[in-house]
Each structure stands twice: as structure tokens, then as C-alpha cells.
């Protein structure tokens, strides 16, 4: 999806605005009716259909040409690769969980936590599981009840305890190589996951360390619930995937090897685990990625049509103008990085979905990175960081809604207690303002 030579036109963005209006509008309406998980009652894959129809109507030239543009965008190499990674990631997460990998990791972590470090330990356990699983929602669902139990058994604040879990989950979601946000960010910017991981770690690690220090001071001596039994072998697939990914092995191969190892462990250690059960688990993993897979294809096509109509060029001009004003008329790396960060953050506020936000702004970020001399590794990192930062602060986001329902606390109050996300956003902003080393280094190839 290369930059079109079409003139910039705000009209080409009307389909995107329609999509956001339908998706966010439906969420607001259901919220006004007191419906739980209001912003997730209308699937984005359905809300985008009228937007695609509008894009076809607004397209210049014959109808067949508009449809061809859409299909070309949906079948772009980046989109297809992303879809394959989604499928492999879903299969790996499903099989690893089925053989008891999540429970083993939770119980192992709890057995190793000293009572005086219960909150920092809880953050680290959650962060590791989220990094291994690649899903903040699945991690919160697994660790949230444990955090609630800790708060009930001690004098720890429920808000602080469940906020620690959400913060750790967003840390892992941001760094995991099988997270859909990582997949979307690296593929849209055409960089390797290893390079993006290293970039992210330089910003996320300081935020995590400050969070751990704060949690150590904020926590008190607590009685840790007795952990269940665990087998370290069941944790091995997660560790292998992390090691191979950081070593730079192709992510599809990494995930395939992870599936094979998890399957072998299941056959040996899990009673009654058969090839038929493995097949069902893999298919369940595929199914768990259905919505984001379909949405990726549709957004790829819609993005190509908006680009062909000059919408991306117009949006870039507006962000450019605002960014120039914010950087006192000195365009460059800082201007580009601020524009990329602002674009994905604003889109995430509208969609309440960090992966969708990255997909919608990925091409714009890539164009701005090239224009302002921003290292593609850096643009991928900022896309993921600010989408996860905003997602971890939204009172109507799925993560906070799930956590608040588990802990029976106010989503709005919980949003202010997730210190890691606030610190991550601040550290990223500081890096934009003060740190230009990476943008001057040679960009890594994807």
C-alpha cells in the first residue's frame, strides 16, 4: 500500500468517521442503557461494513476499480502475513493453556513470592504471563481472582491490587511477540519483532522499575494464598517462545515450534490428551482470532481506498500542521514521533481497542516516519506503547471493565490506579523529547 499520488481530500476519510461513529455510538448507547461491556456489544467487524460501502460509493472511477482497490489492500503482503501470525499465535496460546501452562505459571510464581513483596511479585507474575500468552484480557481473567483473594485476605487496597494486575497485563501485552498489538505494529511498519522488542524494552523497563518501587512502598506484609501444584515442564513452551523470539528467529517458525513443544508435553503429561484433542485446541485458537483476523482484512482494504482517495495524505497534513505548532516550527524526528503517538492515542480513545487503533493508523505512521526521518523500529514501538497506554487507562476499555467487575470496584476509580500505564506514557514522552539516538541509527530491516 504505497503512497498514492492523489490529491489530499478530507472526503476520503468519511468512511473512517462513519465506522468510528457506528462503533463508538453503539457503545455509548448501550452504556446509557446500563449494559455491561457496552463498547463490545457491536462487533467492529460489523460496524465497518457500512464504512466499506460508503468508501466504494465515494471512490473515483468505475465500481470495479474501487472493488479491486479494496481487494488489493486486503491482500497486501503485510496484511496476509499478519493474519497468518494471528492464527499461529492463537493456536499456540490455546494449546499451551490446555496443557496447564497458565495454571503452572501462576502457581509457580505464587510459591516464589515473599510476603513483603506481594505486590511487586504480583506485577512480575502478571507481566510474565501476559508476555508469554500475548493477551492482556486472558491474563487479567487468570490472575484477577487471585488478586481479589489477596486483597480480601489482607489489608491491601482492592483498587491497588487489581490495578497492579492490569498494569502487569498491559506490560506483557506491549512486549509479547505473540500479542496482536505487536504483530500489527511490526507488520505495518515492516520491522522485526526482535528490534521492536528492544526498542519497547528501553522505555517499558524504566516505567516497570518505577512501578515496582512504588508497589513495594505501597504494599504491606500479606498472607499469600497457598499455591497449587505445578510442573515446570508445562511452562517450557512459554520460555522457549520468548527465547527464540528475542533471538531473532522468524516469528511464524517460533510459534510453530512452540505449538509442537506444547503438544508433546501435553501427550506426555496430560492424561487423555490425544491428537483429536490437540486438533480441537488448535482450532479453538484459530477461532479466538476470528474477529481481529477479519477486521485486519477489512481495514486493509478500507485503508487502501482511503489512501487512493487522498484521505491519508490529508490526515497527514493536519497532524503535520499540529505537530509543527507543538514543536515550535522545527519539523524533524520529534515532530514525527509526536504526530505518530498522538494519532494512535486519539484513535484508541475512539475505538477502545488498541489493536484496531494500530491497524487504523499504521499506514499513516509509516508515511510520517519516512517523511520525518523516524526509525521504523521507533514508530512501531510508539504505536504499540501509546495504544497500550491509552487502553490501560480507558474506563470503558475491556481490560478495566473486566478487572473492575472481578474486584467489584468503579472502572473510573480503577483507571486512576493503574500506575504502570501512566508511567509508561510519561517515559515514552520523555524519550520523544530528549532521546534522538535511535532515529539517527541505521533502520533495521523487517
Amino acid at each position: 500500500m504505497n503512497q498514492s499520488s492523489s490529491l489530499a481530500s478530507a472526503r476520503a476519510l468519511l468512511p473512517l468517521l462513519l465506522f468510528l461513529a457506528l462503533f463508538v455510538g453503539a457503545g455509548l448507547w448501550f452504556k446509557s442503557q446500563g449494559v455491561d461491556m457496552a463498547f463490545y456489544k457491536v462487533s467492529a467487524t460489523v460496524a465497518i461494513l457500512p464504512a466499506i460501502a460508503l468508501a466504494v460509493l465515494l471512490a473515483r472511477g468505475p465500481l470495479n476499480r474501487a472493488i479491486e482497490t479494496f481487494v488489493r489492500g486486503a491482500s497486501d503482503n503485510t496484511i496476509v502475513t499478519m493474519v497468518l501470525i494471528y492464527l499461529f499465535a492463537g493456536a499456540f496460546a490455546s494449546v499451551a493453556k490446555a496443557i496447564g501452562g497458565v495454571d503452572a505459571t501462576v502457581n509457580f510464581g505464587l510459591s516464589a513470592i515473599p510476603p513483603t513483596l506481594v505486590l511487586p511479585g504480583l506485577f512480575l507474575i502478571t507481566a510474565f504471563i501476559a508476555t508469554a500468552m500475548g493477551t492482556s484480557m486472558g491474563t487479567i481473567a487468570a490472575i484477577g481472582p487471585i488478586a481479589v483473594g489477596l486483597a480480601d485476605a489482607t489489608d491491601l487496597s482492592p483498587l491497588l491490587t487489581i490495578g497492579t494486575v492490569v498494569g502487569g497485563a498491559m506490560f506483557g501485552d506491549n512486549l509479547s511477540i505473540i500479542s496482536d498489538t505487536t504483530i500489527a505494529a511490526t507488520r505495518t511498519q515492516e520491522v522485526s519483532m526482535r528490534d521492536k522488542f528492544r526498542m519497547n524494552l528501553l522505555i517499558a523497563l524504566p516505567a516497570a522499575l518505577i512501578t515496582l518501587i512504588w508497589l513495594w512502598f505501597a504494599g504491606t506484609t500479606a498472607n499469600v494464598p497457598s499455591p497449587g501444584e505445578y510442573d515446570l515442564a508445562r511452562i517450557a513452551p512459554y520460555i522457549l517462545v520468548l527465547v527464540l523470539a528475542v533471538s531473532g528467529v522468524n516469528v511464524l517458525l517460533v510459534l510453530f515450534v512452540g505449538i509442537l513443544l506444547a503438544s508433546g508435553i501435553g501427550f506426555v503429561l496430560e492424561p487423555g490428551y490425544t491428537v483429536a484433542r490437540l486438533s480441537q485446541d488448535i482450532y479453538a485458537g484459530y477461532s479466538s482470532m476470528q474477529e481481529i483476523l477479519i477486521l485486519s482484512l477489512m481495514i486493509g482494504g478500507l485503508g487502501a481506498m482511503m489512501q487512493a482517495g487522498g484521505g491519508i495524505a490529508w490526515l497527514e497534513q493536519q497532524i503535520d500542521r499540529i505537530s509543527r505548532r507543538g514543536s515550535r516550527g522545527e519539523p524533524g524526528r520529534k515532530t514525527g514521533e509526536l504526530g505518530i503517538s498522538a494519532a494512535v492515542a486519539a484513535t484508541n480513545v475512539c475505538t477502545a481497542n488498541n489493536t484496531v487503533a494500530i491497524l487504523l493508523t499504521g499506514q499513516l505512521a509509516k508515511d510520517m516516519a519516512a517523511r520525518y526521518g523516524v526509525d521504523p523500529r521507533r514508530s512501531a514501538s510508539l504505536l504499540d506503547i501509546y495504544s497500550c497506554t491509552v487502553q490501560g487507562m480507558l474506563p470503558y476499555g475491556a481490560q478495566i471493565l473486566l478487572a473492575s467487575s472481578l474486584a467489584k470496584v468503579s472502572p473510573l476509580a480503577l483507571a486512576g490506579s493503574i500506575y504502570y500505564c501512566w508511567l509508561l506514557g510519561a517515559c515514552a514522552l520523555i524519550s520523544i523529547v530528549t532521546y534522538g539516538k535511535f532515529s539517527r541509527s541505521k533502520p533495521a530491516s523487517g
Side-chain angles (χ1 to χ4, degrees):
M1 292 188 293
N2 296 325
Q3 180 64 35
S4 172
S5 60
S6 303
L7 295 176
S9 172
R11 191 181 74 156
L13 293 177
L14 289 177
L16 175 60
L17 296 179
L18 177 60
F19 167 58
L20 296 178
L22 292 173
F23 186 54
V24 178
L28 292 173
W29 187 84
F30 280 113
K31 187 175 181 63
S32 69
Q33 303 300 308
V35 177
D36 293 335
M37 304 291 284
F39 283 84
Y40 299 87
K41 290 301 179 182
V42 174
S43 171
T45 58
V46 176
I48 201 173
L49 292 177
I52 293 173
L54 178 59
V56 171
L57 292 174
L58 294 176
R60 305 184 183 98
L63 175 62
N64 285 343
R65 184 187 301 170
I67 295 176
E68 289 173 2
T69 301
F70 177 85
V71 173
R72 186 168 59 251
S75 60
D76 181 81
N77 180 66
T78 297
I79 299 296
V80 174
T81 303
M82 192 186 306
V83 165
L84 290 174
I85 295 174
Y86 285 149
L87 291 174
F88 275 62
F92 169 73
S94 178
V95 175
K97 182 178 180 180
I99 67 168
V102 174
D103 292 337
T105 303
V106 171
N107 290 330
F108 169 72
L110 286 176
S111 67
I113 297 179
T116 54
L117 299 175
V118 62
L119 284 179
L122 184 62
F123 180 89
L124 291 174
I125 291 173
T126 308
F128 174 78
I129 292 175
T131 303
M133 290 178 64
T135 166
S136 54
M137 288 292 288
T139 302
I140 293 170
I143 306 298
I146 297 173
V148 173
L150 284 174
D152 291 341
T154 65
D155 58 352
L156 292 173
S157 163
L159 281 174
L160 180 59
T161 307
I162 198 67
T164 299
V165 170
V166 177
M170 298 313 294
F171 174 91
D173 194 6
N174 179 221
L175 289 175
S176 174
I177 65 103
I178 63 172
S179 167
D180 47 8
T181 59
T182 293
I183 296 168
T186 54
R187 298 313 304 175
T188 58
Q189 305 308 295
E190 297 184 1
V191 299
S192 71
M193 292 192 175
R194 177 179 61 177
D195 288 335
K196 180 263 183 187
F197 177 86
R198 290 173 175 173
M199 282 284 184
N200 267 30
L201 194 63
L202 291 172
I203 297 173
L205 191 57
L209 290 175
I210 297 172
T211 300
L212 289 172
I213 294 172
W214 165 254
L215 292 174
W216 181 70
F217 281 108
T220 58
T221 301
N223 296 317
V224 179
S226 299
E229 296 182 356
Y230 60 88
D231 191 331
L232 289 176
R234 300 177 193 269
I235 308 175
Y238 293 133
I239 298 175
L240 177 65
V241 164
L242 289 174
V243 171
L244 291 179
V246 174
S247 299
V249 180
N250 181 278
V251 65
L252 289 173
L253 179 59
V254 168
L255 292 170
F256 184 72
V257 171
I259 293 171
L260 291 179
L261 178 59
S263 303
I265 292 173
F267 292 145
V268 174
L269 299 181
E270 194 71 14
Y273 199 78
T274 63
V275 173
R277 172 75 184 279
L278 171 63
S279 174
Q280 294 172 359
D281 290 334
I282 291 176
Y283 184 76
Y286 290 164
S287 299
S288 69
M289 292 292 180
Q290 174 180 297
E291 182 173 10
I292 194 62
L293 185 155
I294 295 172
L295 189 60
S296 295
L297 293 172
M298 291 185 170
I299 285 180
L302 183 62
M305 297 188 71
M306 291 191 300
Q307 188 172 29
I312 299 297
W314 181 88
L315 185 59
E316 181 177 308
Q317 289 178 2
Q318 304 312 305
I319 294 179
D320 178 19
R321 181 172 57 84
I322 296 172
S323 298
R324 285 172 179 267
R325 185 180 304 169
S327 59
R328 300 178 182 178
E330 299 177 2
R333 175 198 61 83
K334 187 188 302 183
T335 299
E337 292 187 357
L338 287 172
I340 291 169
S341 302
V344 73
T347 304
N348 205 112
V349 169
C350 293
T351 62
N353 187 307
N354 45 353
T355 306
V356 172
I358 293 174
L359 290 171
L360 286 172
T361 57
Q363 184 60 45
L364 173 63
K366 184 179 179 181
D367 292 343
M368 292 190 70
R371 184 174 184 181
Y372 293 109
V374 177
D375 190 324
R377 298 172 296 176
R378 184 86 167 140
S379 62
S381 177
L382 291 173
L383 278 175
D384 204 343
I385 283 174
Y386 273 104
S387 66
C388 287
T389 294
V390 172
Q391 187 68 20
M393 297 176 179
L394 289 179
Y396 52 87
Q399 288 80 0
I400 288 186
L401 289 175
L402 174 60
S404 62
S405 65
L406 290 172
K408 294 181 173 54
V409 296
S410 164
L412 189 60
L414 178 57
S417 300
I418 304 173
Y419 301 110
Y420 170 73
C421 288
W422 292 93
L423 289 168
L424 178 63
C427 288
L429 182 59
I430 291 172
S431 76
I432 292 173
V433 174
T434 64
Y435 202 57
K437 175 181 177 182
F438 295 122
S439 62
R440 293 192 295 271
S441 62
K442 182 179 178 180
S445 61

